């Protein structure tokens, strides 16, 4: 499983005006962890999710909380080798 597609319950417009209806989440690598920014756990989660989806953190900020939690669970499972 190198990439998972998450259909969003609550699509949203990105900074370019395109409607995001799904997230393509790739498995994180060590280099992605090294690129993470943020001082809080939430900021770091947003940073990592942006990195592995190819979106910018400002787009991740627009995710509905339910979709953010679903995406975070996918990344967490990937980190556990699942």
């Amino acid at each position: 499983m190198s990439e998972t597609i998450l259909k969003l319950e609550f699509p949203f417009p990105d900074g370019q005006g395109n409607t995001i209806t799904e997230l393509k989440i790739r498995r994180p690598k060590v280099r992605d962890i090294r690129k993470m920014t943020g001082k809080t756990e939430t900021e770091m989660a947003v940073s990592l999710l942006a990195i592995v989806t190819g979106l910018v953190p400002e787009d991740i900020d627009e995710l509905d909380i339910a979709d953010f939690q679903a995406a975070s669970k996918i990344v967490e499972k990937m980190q556990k080798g699942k």
Side-chain angles (χ1 to χ4, degrees), residues 28-44:
K29 299 194 178 277
V30 173
R31 68 174 168 251
D32 300 322
I33 303 298
R34 292 171 46 102
K35 290 179 187 176
M36 286 172 48
T37 60
K39 295 180 182 176
T40 68
E41 190 173 320
T42 301
E43 289 172 339
M44 290 187 291

Side-chain angles (χ1 to χ4, degrees), residues 38-74:
K39 295 180 182 176
T40 68
E41 190 173 320
T42 301
E43 289 172 339
M44 290 187 291
V46 167
S47 176
L48 181 58
L49 191 55
I51 292 166
V52 299
T53 60
L55 296 173
V56 294
E58 293 79 11
D59 288 337
I60 300 298
D61 285 342
E62 295 302 316
L63 272 174
D64 182 88
I65 190 66
D67 289 326
F68 177 73
Q69 289 177 338
S72 295
K73 285 180 184 176
I74 290 169

Side-chain angles (χ1 to χ4, degrees), residues 6 25 49 66-80:
L6 172 66
I25 304 170
L49 191 55
D67 289 326
F68 177 73
Q69 289 177 338
S72 295
K73 285 180 184 176
I74 290 169
V75 173
E76 184 179 324
K77 284 181 182 178
M78 288 175 169
Q79 288 175 321
K80 291 180 179 178

